[in-house]
Amino acid sequence: MFETLSDRFERIFQGIRGRGKLNQADIDATLAEIRLALLEADVNLDVVESLTQRIRNRALGQELSKALNPSQQVVKIVLDELTVSLGGEAMKLTYASKPPTVVLLAGLQGSGKTTNAAKLAQWFKKQGRHPLLVGADLQRPAAVEQLRTLGEQIDVPVFSETSRPTKVAKKALKEAARTARDVVIVDTAGRLAIDQTLMAEIANISSAVNPHYTLLVVDAMTGQDAVTMARAFDQTLALDGVILTKLDGDARGGAALSVKEVVGKPIAFASTGEKIEDFDTFYPDRLASRILGMGDVETLIEKAEEAFEQEQAEKAAERLLEGTFTLEDFLEQMQQIKKMGPLGNLVGMMPGLPKEARNAELDDSHLARVEGIIRSMTPAERAQPDVINGSRRLRIANGSGVQPTEVKQLLDQFSQMRQMMKQFSGMGSKKFNPKARSKGKKGKQRRGGRVTHNDSARSTASNPAKGSAKPPKVPLALPGLEDRLRGF
Amino acid sequence: MFLTIIIAIAALIIIGFSAYFIVQARRIERGEELQLEESGSTTTPEPAVAAPSFRDRLGKTRAALSGYLGSVFGRGDINDETWQHLQDALIRADVGVGTSADIVATVRSKAAADGVTDKTELAGLVKTEIVSRLKGFDRSMSTAREDSATENGKTKPAVWLFVGVNGVGKTTTIGKLAHREASAGRSVVLAAGDTFRAAAVEQLSVWSERSGVEIVKGSSGADPSSVVFDAVEHAAARAVPLVMADTAGRLQTKTNLMEELRKVRRVAEKGAGTVTETLLVIDATTGQNALSQARQFGEAVDVSGVVLTKLDGSAKGGIVIAIHAELGVPVKFVGLGEGITDLVEFDPHEFVAALFE
């Protein structure tokens, strides 16, 4: 993992705490870092240049906010700018007044068109529509079979025949009318943007079916070439939006920014896994922080919101910071966390975690092992791990099928963690109100966090409208949270 | 491991708790919105003319870059701008910021030492420098084993394992390589080890028919290791010296899937087989993430070579320079199209020429 951008900024800004404004030299130093971070994230060079220019203009002469330190402030500007660039107008899917609504998918080989055709069909199904999948990829061996298999899995009919792609697409419209399907999703063969023959072919398909939406399927791992590719597809097909795929890896996804800048159309969907359900509306703010290597706290928080019971989590956090957290609490929280998905993914989303933790091989069998050990303890042992002596340890080890040393390890780590958390809370600043204190920020008095906003915000606990990407959500919370988590 | 889990859980608890506050903090008003500016030119890519050689296939993408590189290698004297442009050109080819800066620094000091002031001379220096970074690697495909190829009269097949993330072209590459081996008169058994993706087995079957080689399949959702094992046994029984094993695409961050891959490699050697090549297939359009792929697949299954696919597009695949340097893993083949013969051996000179012509 690279040094995160905010770490670098922190260094740059060490000397300028007292000043009221960012000056030219500060800005230039940070812009160099921003440029590097963006290029490392595969944002196209031209896009990087225009972005850094815009960030410079915004940052120059900006009043320093009281609530944020200078580095946080610049991070916020950069994040805002990226979020705006990635977001903009959300794609509103409206349905044709005279069905079917036709969606055409295009993209390079291997970007994930076929898989995402099925995912999109599933999505439409969830919206109460009746999609028809059309296999117009007659190029790649077994592409149609792949679509048929996927269609079966989600119970959506697939239309195809061995003729020419244009013919298949045309016939599919009739088929849709005949079988009363109101959405038609046309999967096409992968093609290189510079392959004129195939680009002409897809132009023909497009004019044959006259799609309401033409979506470009883009691999999140794409490099500098994303711009060339997007431009060519946009010129041939007049794109309406983008599906970003393979976001579940560790690619920073800068290509999305490049494509967005070139095409100027929204990123409508993001595919975040191999399962058909791993497909969702796109959140610009999340990708923005990811491009900068800042973790994906928003997704994490959202998952936490779904999985955690607020009361319970609050109590657990309080006990954690007081140092009275028991193994029983730990077990309980573990159950909640399991609901949030694979632990490895969650850890990956956490900003500021030490490198070892990020790269550690974490799968859920490890969790099960820990769980097994704790479950082999008596309630008394869970509440007071100190009572566990050699013979108890052996019994627990036998009960959970591990070595006694592993039990010891777990207990040692657990008590270390308890100790650590207690220290954190001890250092907690008086500036925080009691609840905010439990968030465990290190004592150093940065003009930290969003403490100032808490009181006004708490009264309006309503969930921000999920899914509507209209005004991109502001990830203001990120720098502060990151600082806190770095403490671990 | 325990420490990580405990830290993770502690952090998650805090997050669960903080979520409440953070959600609200999002409501802070945002600054003014900025207009998106349409960036870039409107040049159409060059026409595609298919011709099955590395240089020719790559030639069609040259035009896109040449205009830009004119300012690097065109007429005139070398100045500060030249170096900036050179670095930019390398970055645009996905070489990466670090490697690009390194190349520029090396060339710059060489140019100073040799008294090079002319841009055309500079072009030579740059190419030589990059080629030298790609030289000295063994790009041959091994079927050799330390012991003899037979034991008790039974063939001990070599196994070539193909790995990579989703959609890079593993199956297509196997199809083409199988054809290459078969045309050279060597018999091959294909192992349809991608039992996850829908119709991947069918896709490989089509390729096996095209090149007339045998294929061993398992049922959909079967354990890939068992399919590969069966293929090896099948090959051994019929005295076929080579097995090419397909695997399902997987992102290098999926621990459990990488574990599965380790197992496939282990099991491939459980019977008569020996894995003599593990080829990581990388899509030339991939950016800096390719390095992470090479690193993590390398760690899991000891990658012996790279196949760089889709190099007939406008992407340059410059990240392989860093892969050579950092991981010592050479590119062995290059994919240049969807035809069965569109796979050629990697040549550093031609690769570099394509970067810069």
Side-chain angles (χ1 to χ4, degrees), chain B residues 303-319:
Chain B
V303 169
S304 61
V306 167
V307 180
L308 190 62
T309 60
K310 307 181 204 174
L311 204 56
D312 49 331
S314 41
K316 298 279 159 190
I319 190 65

Side-chain angles (χ1 to χ4, degrees), chain A residues 81 109 223 246 250 314 450, chain B residues 17 25 34 166 285 289 310:
Chain A
E81 189 56 48
Q109 289 93 342
K246 304 180 203 170
D250 59 358
E314 265 179 49
R450 72 201 64 73
Chain B
F17 174 70
L34 280 151
N166 315 63
T285 55
N289 192 251
K310 307 181 204 174

Side-chain angles (χ1 to χ4, degrees), chain B residues 162-180:
Chain B
F162 293 78
V163 300
V165 300
N166 315 63
V168 287
K170 285 177 293 301
T171 309
T172 307
T173 299
I174 294 182
K176 292 174 184 173
L177 260 183
H179 173 75
R180 189 171 172 274

Side-chain angles (χ1 to χ4, degrees), chain A residues 324-367:
Chain A
T324 54
F325 192 66
T326 66
L327 281 165
E328 189 69 55
D329 293 325
F330 187 73
L331 194 62
E332 222 164 65
Q333 294 306 315
M334 219 158 84
Q335 303 312 314
Q336 312 257 345
I337 286 161
K338 274 206 265 180
K339 284 191 252 165
M340 292 169 64
L343 192 59
N345 288 3
L346 299 180
V347 172
M349 282 184 246
M350 251 185 267
L353 266 196
K355 200 162 96 191
E356 309 80 61
R358 256 175 206 278
N359 297 345
E361 309 237 323
L362 266 185
D363 66 59
D364 291 14
S365 66
H366 291 152
L367 262 189

Side-chain angles (χ1 to χ4, degrees), chain A residues 337-413:
Chain A
I337 286 161
K338 274 206 265 180
K339 284 191 252 165
M340 292 169 64
L343 192 59
N345 288 3
L346 299 180
V347 172
M349 282 184 246
M350 251 185 267
L353 266 196
K355 200 162 96 191
E356 309 80 61
R358 256 175 206 278
N359 297 345
E361 309 237 323
L362 266 185
D363 66 59
D364 291 14
S365 66
H366 291 152
L367 262 189
R369 218 170 158 81
V370 174
E371 194 181 330
I373 295 175
I374 300 177
R375 284 202 190 283
S376 302
M377 297 175 187
T378 65
E381 286 165 347
R382 291 181 209 173
Q384 276 241 294
D386 296 341
V387 304
I388 297 172
N389 56 20
S391 76
R392 280 176 189 256
R393 203 152 52 221
L394 186 64
R395 192 204 77 241
I396 294 164
N398 287 338
S400 52
V402 301
Q403 294 301 314
T405 51
E406 284 183 69
V407 178
K408 185 167 184 317
Q409 243 177 18
L410 174 68
L411 291 171
D412 288 350
Q413 302 289 8

